[in-house]
Amino acid sequence: MNSTRNTFDYDVAVVGGGSAGYAAARTAADAGLRTVVIEGAKEVGGLCILRGCMPTKALLYAADVLHQTRQASRWGLRVAGVGYDFSQVMARKNALIREFAVYRQEQLTNAKFKFIQATAQFADKSTLTLSSGETLTARSFIIATGSTVAPPTLPRLKDLGYLTSDGVIIMNKLPHSLIILGGGAVAVEAAQFFVRFDVKVTLIQRSEHILKDFDADAAVELEKVLRREGVTLFTNTKLTEAWQEGGLKGVSFQHGGQTVRVAAEEIMFAQGRISNTAGLGLDTAGVFTEHGRIPTNTEMQTTAPHIYAAGDCTGPHEIVHLAIIQGEIAAHNISHPSKKRSMDYRLFTRVIFTNPEVAAVGLGEREAKARNLSYQAASYPFNDHGKSLIMEARDGFVKLLANPTTGEILGGSVIGPMGGELIHEIIAAMHKHMTVHELAAMPHYHPTLAEIWTYPAAELAAKILVKH
C-alpha cells in the first residue's frame, strides 16, 4: 500500500481554493492525506468572499440602514438631512472584504496542506500541468473551481457594454438609471439596493414571476414591495434586442402582446452563472461535463471514479453552505472509501436578502404539486403579529407544509423581517423530523418574531389527527 501511495506526489489534489476547495482540503489533510490546493485566481478567497455573499450583503445592509433612517417618522422620530456618501459605503465594504480575504489567505497558506497559486490542466488522469511550469500527480482529485458570470443572451449587449454582479460590487459611481435583466436572487437584491440609493431601476424578468425557485405567493409579495419602493417591474417577457441611442443603452422585449422599449444609463445582466471548468482538460481525465457543469453522484464522485467535484462547478444549487458540505463529503469519501457519506438535499435552504427577506427550506407547494406529493399547508401573515407590528414590518407571511398523515414538517417558507434568521427554526425542526404538533407545543418567548411559526403549526396540528 505504501509503495502505491508513494508513486504519486499527493494523495489528494484540490483544484480551487474557494469555500468548497478549502473545506475539502482541510478535511482531507485532517484525515492524514497528503494534500495540495491549486488556486488559479490572482485574488484568493473564492466567489463568496470576493464577489458574492459578503460584499453584496454588506452593501444591502447599508441600503437597509438608509431606508430605515428615511422611514424614521413611522416611529415618531425626526432625522434631518438623511443622505449618503457612496464612496464611503464602498470603502466600508472593501475594508470588510479585505479582512475576510486576508483570513482565507492565512487559512490556505498556514494549513496542513500545500498551497500553490497557479492554473491547472489535466495532462492525463493522474497528472496536472500548472501555469508555473510544474507538473504534479495525485491519487485522487477534487474539482472546486466555482463559477463565472454567464454570457448575455442578447448578442448586441456585449458590444454595448454591461454590468454584471462582479462589476457592480466594485463600481465607484452610481448610475442615474439602470435596467436589470433577470429575476433571481442577484437581480432582485440589486434592484432593491440601487432603488434605495436613488437610482431609477427597471427590472425585466422572463418568467411569470420573479424568484422562480420559490412559491409564487412569496414572489408576488416581493414584487409588491419592489414596486412600492419605485422599481419598474416587467414579468412574463421575451427579450428581442439591445440598442443604444445617444448616451443611453436600451432593450426591447415582448410583453403582453406588445413590443416595449426601455432605456437607461446602464444595463445589468443578472441571468445567472455558469461552471468555471473551461481549460481544465476534464475530457483528458475522463470526466463527463454537461454544458460545462460537472455532474456527480450523491457521493460527489464524477464519471472518473478517482475524481470528485464540489461547489458551484457541479451544483445542483449554487449556495456556499452546500458547497462546503459537498467539499467535506468529497474529501471524506476519498479518505474513508469503506464508510462513504452522501449528500442529502432534504434540508435544501435558500435565502434572498431583500427587505423583506425571503427564505425557504425543504419542500415548497410548487415542487410538491409537480411531484404529485400529498401535503397540508398553512400560513400566517406578519401584519397580524405583535412583534412585526412593533417593528413596522407588516409585509409577508410564514408558511408550513406537513405530511397529511403523520404531521411531520416537510418544508417551510417565510417572506418577512429577519426571514433568513427565522428559517433556521424550521431547519432545526426538520433536521430532527419534528411534527407540527411538536412545533406548536414547543415554548416560544413573547413577543418575538419566532413565535409566528406556532400559528401555522397549531392550525396544521388541529387538522392532522395522529393516532397514538
Side-chain angles (χ1 to χ4, degrees), residues 14-16 19-21 23-24 141-147 294 296 300-302 307-315 317 322-331 343:
V14 180
V15 184
S19 297
F141 297 85
I142 300 173
I143 310 301
T145 48
S147 63
I294 307 174
T296 69
M300 305 315 301
Q301 192 174 38
T302 72
I307 300 178
Y308 291 69
D312 288 2
C313 66
T314 181
H317 311 291
L322 287 181
I324 292 169
I325 298 170
Q326 289 173 344
E328 291 171 344
I329 284 182
M343 285 295 297

Coordinates of all heavy atoms in Angstrom, one line a residue, residues 14-16 19-21 23-24 141-147 294 296 300-302 307-315 317 322-331 343:
V14 N -6.6 19.3 -4.8 CA -7.8 20.0 -4.9 C -7.6 21.2 -5.8 O -6.7 22.0 -5.6 CB -8.2 20.6 -3.5 CG1 -9.5 21.4 -3.6 CG2 -8.4 19.4 -2.5
V15 N -8.4 21.3 -6.8 CA -8.3 22.4 -7.8 C -9.3 23.4 -7.5 O -10.5 23.2 -7.8 CB -8.4 21.9 -9.3 CG1 -8.2 23.0 -10.3 CG2 -7.5 20.7 -9.5
G16 N -8.9 24.5 -6.9 CA -9.8 25.6 -6.5 C -9.7 25.8 -5.0 O -9.8 24.9 -4.2
S19 N -14.6 28.4 -1.1 CA -15.2 27.7 0.1 C -15.2 26.2 0.0 O -14.9 25.5 1.0 CB -16.6 28.3 0.3 OG -16.6 29.7 0.6
A20 N -15.6 25.7 -1.2 CA -15.7 24.2 -1.3 C -14.3 23.6 -1.3 O -14.0 22.6 -0.7 CB -16.4 23.9 -2.6
G21 N -13.3 24.3 -2.0 CA -12.0 23.7 -2.1 C -11.3 23.7 -0.7 O -10.6 22.8 -0.4
A23 N -12.7 23.7 2.2 CA -13.3 22.7 3.1 C -12.9 21.3 2.8 O -12.6 20.5 3.7 CB -14.9 22.8 3.0
A24 N -12.7 21.0 1.5 CA -12.3 19.7 1.0 C -10.8 19.5 1.5 O -10.5 18.4 2.0 CB -12.4 19.6 -0.5
F141 N -8.5 13.4 -7.0 CA -8.7 14.9 -7.2 C -10.1 15.3 -6.8 O -11.0 14.6 -6.8 CB -8.5 15.2 -8.7 CG -7.2 14.9 -9.3 CD1 -6.9 13.6 -9.7 CD2 -6.2 15.8 -9.3 CE1 -5.6 13.3 -10.2 CE2 -4.9 15.5 -9.9 CZ -4.6 14.2 -10.3
I142 N -10.1 16.6 -6.4 CA -11.4 17.3 -6.1 C -11.4 18.6 -6.9 O -10.6 19.4 -6.7 CB -11.6 17.5 -4.6 CG1 -11.6 16.2 -3.8 CG2 -13.0 18.3 -4.4 CD1 -11.6 16.4 -2.3
I143 N -12.4 18.7 -7.8 CA -12.5 19.9 -8.7 C -13.5 20.8 -7.9 O -14.6 20.5 -7.7 CB -13.1 19.6 -10.1 CG1 -12.2 18.4 -10.7 CG2 -13.0 20.8 -10.9 CD1 -10.8 18.7 -10.8
A144 N -13.0 22.0 -7.6 CA -13.8 23.0 -6.9 C -13.5 24.4 -7.5 O -13.1 25.3 -6.7 CB -13.5 22.9 -5.4
T145 N -13.7 24.5 -8.8 CA -13.3 25.8 -9.5 C -14.4 26.8 -9.6 O -14.2 27.9 -10.2 CB -12.8 25.4 -10.9 OG1 -13.8 24.5 -11.5 CG2 -11.5 24.7 -10.9
G146 N -15.5 26.6 -9.0 CA -16.5 27.6 -8.9 C -17.3 27.9 -10.2 O -17.4 27.1 -11.0
S147 N -17.7 29.2 -10.3 CA -18.5 29.6 -11.4 C -18.0 30.9 -11.9 O -17.3 31.7 -11.2 CB -20.0 29.6 -11.1 OG -20.2 30.6 -10.0
I294 N -20.2 19.9 -14.0 CA -19.7 18.6 -13.7 C -20.7 17.8 -12.9 O -20.8 18.0 -11.7 CB -18.3 18.6 -12.9 CG1 -17.3 19.5 -13.6 CG2 -17.8 17.2 -12.7 CD1 -16.0 19.7 -12.8
T296 N -22.3 14.9 -10.7 CA -21.7 13.9 -9.8 C -22.9 13.1 -9.2 O -24.1 13.4 -9.3 CB -21.0 14.6 -8.6 OG1 -22.0 15.2 -7.7 CG2 -20.0 15.6 -9.0
M300 N -20.6 12.8 -4.5 CA -19.8 13.9 -5.1 C -18.7 13.3 -6.1 O -17.7 14.0 -6.4 CB -19.1 14.8 -4.1 CG -20.1 15.4 -3.1 SD -21.6 16.1 -3.9 CE -21.0 17.3 -5.1
Q301 N -18.9 12.1 -6.6 CA -18.0 11.4 -7.5 C -18.4 11.7 -8.9 O -19.6 11.6 -9.3 CB -18.0 9.9 -7.2 CG -16.9 9.1 -7.8 CD -17.0 7.7 -7.3 OE1 -18.1 7.1 -7.1 NE2 -15.8 7.1 -7.0
T302 N -17.4 12.0 -9.7 CA -17.7 12.3 -11.2 C -17.7 10.9 -11.9 O -17.6 9.9 -11.3 CB -16.6 13.2 -11.8 OG1 -15.4 12.5 -11.9 CG2 -16.4 14.4 -10.9
I307 N -12.0 11.0 -9.3 CA -12.1 12.5 -9.3 C -13.5 12.8 -8.8 O -14.5 12.3 -9.3 CB -11.9 13.0 -10.8 CG1 -10.5 12.6 -11.3 CG2 -12.1 14.5 -10.8 CD1 -10.2 13.0 -12.7
Y308 N -13.5 13.8 -7.9 CA -14.7 14.3 -7.2 C -14.9 15.7 -7.6 O -13.9 16.4 -8.1 CB -14.7 14.1 -5.7 CG -14.7 12.6 -5.3 CD1 -13.7 11.8 -5.5 CD2 -15.8 12.2 -4.6 CE1 -13.7 10.4 -5.1 CE2 -15.9 10.8 -4.2 CZ -14.8 10.0 -4.4 OH -14.9 8.7 -4.0
A309 N -16.1 16.3 -7.4 CA -16.3 17.7 -7.6 C -17.2 18.3 -6.5 O -17.9 17.6 -5.9 CB -16.9 18.0 -9.0
A310 N -17.0 19.6 -6.2 CA -17.8 20.2 -5.2 C -18.0 21.7 -5.5 O -17.2 22.3 -6.2 CB -17.1 20.1 -3.8
G311 N -19.1 22.3 -5.0 CA -19.3 23.7 -5.2 C -20.0 24.0 -6.5 O -20.7 23.2 -7.1
D312 N -19.9 25.3 -6.9 CA -20.7 25.8 -8.0 C -20.4 25.1 -9.3 O -21.2 25.1 -10.2 CB -20.4 27.3 -8.2 CG -21.0 28.2 -7.1 OD1 -21.7 27.6 -6.2 OD2 -20.9 29.4 -7.1
C313 N -19.2 24.5 -9.5 CA -18.9 23.9 -10.7 C -19.7 22.6 -10.9 O -19.8 22.1 -12.1 CB -17.4 23.6 -10.8 SG -16.8 22.4 -9.7
T314 N -20.3 22.1 -9.9 CA -21.1 20.9 -10.0 C -22.6 21.2 -9.7 O -23.5 20.6 -10.3 CB -20.6 19.8 -9.1 OG1 -21.4 18.6 -9.3 CG2 -20.5 20.1 -7.7
G315 N -22.9 22.0 -8.8 CA -24.3 22.3 -8.4 C -24.8 21.1 -7.5 O -24.0 20.5 -6.8
H317 N -27.1 23.2 -6.7 CA -27.5 24.5 -6.2 C -26.3 25.3 -5.8 O -25.4 24.8 -5.2 CB -28.4 24.3 -4.9 CG -29.5 23.4 -5.0 ND1 -30.6 23.6 -5.8 CD2 -29.6 22.1 -4.5 CE1 -31.4 22.6 -5.8 NE2 -30.8 21.6 -5.0
L322 N -23.8 24.7 1.0 CA -23.9 23.4 0.4 C -22.5 23.1 -0.3 O -22.1 21.9 -0.2 CB -24.9 23.4 -0.7 CG -26.4 23.3 -0.2 CD1 -27.3 23.3 -1.4 CD2 -26.6 22.1 0.7
A323 N -21.8 24.1 -0.8 CA -20.5 23.9 -1.4 C -19.6 23.4 -0.3 O -18.7 22.5 -0.6 CB -20.0 25.2 -2.0
I324 N -19.6 23.9 0.9 CA -18.7 23.5 2.0 C -19.0 22.0 2.3 O -18.1 21.2 2.5 CB -18.9 24.4 3.2 CG1 -18.4 25.8 2.9 CG2 -18.2 23.8 4.4 CD1 -18.7 26.8 3.9
I325 N -20.3 21.7 2.4 CA -20.7 20.3 2.8 C -20.3 19.3 1.7 O -19.7 18.3 1.9 CB -22.2 20.2 3.0 CG1 -22.6 21.1 4.2 CG2 -22.6 18.7 3.3 CD1 -24.1 21.2 4.4
Q326 N -20.4 19.8 0.4 CA -20.0 18.9 -0.7 C -18.5 18.7 -0.7 O -18.1 17.5 -0.9 CB -20.4 19.6 -2.0 CG -21.9 19.6 -2.3 CD -22.3 20.4 -3.5 OE1 -21.5 21.2 -4.0 NE2 -23.5 20.2 -4.1
G327 N -17.7 19.7 -0.4 CA -16.3 19.6 -0.3 C -15.9 18.6 0.8 O -15.0 17.8 0.6
E328 N -16.6 18.8 2.0 CA -16.3 17.9 3.1 C -16.6 16.4 2.8 O -15.9 15.5 3.1 CB -17.0 18.4 4.3 CG -16.5 19.7 4.9 CD -17.4 20.3 5.9 OE1 -18.6 19.8 6.1 OE2 -16.9 21.2 6.7
I329 N -17.8 16.2 2.1 CA -18.2 14.9 1.8 C -17.3 14.2 0.8 O -16.9 13.1 0.9 CB -19.6 14.8 1.3 CG1 -20.6 15.0 2.6 CG2 -20.0 13.6 0.6 CD1 -22.0 15.0 2.3
A330 N -16.8 15.0 -0.2 CA -15.9 14.5 -1.3 C -14.6 14.1 -0.6 O -14.1 12.9 -0.9 CB -15.6 15.6 -2.3
A331 N -14.1 14.9 0.3 CA -12.8 14.6 0.9 C -13.0 13.4 1.9 O -12.1 12.5 2.0 CB -12.3 15.8 1.7
M343 N -24.7 13.2 0.0 CA -25.4 14.5 0.1 C -26.9 14.2 0.3 O -27.4 13.3 -0.3 CB -25.2 15.4 -1.1 CG -23.8 16.0 -1.2 SD -23.5 17.2 0.1 CE -24.7 18.4 -0.2

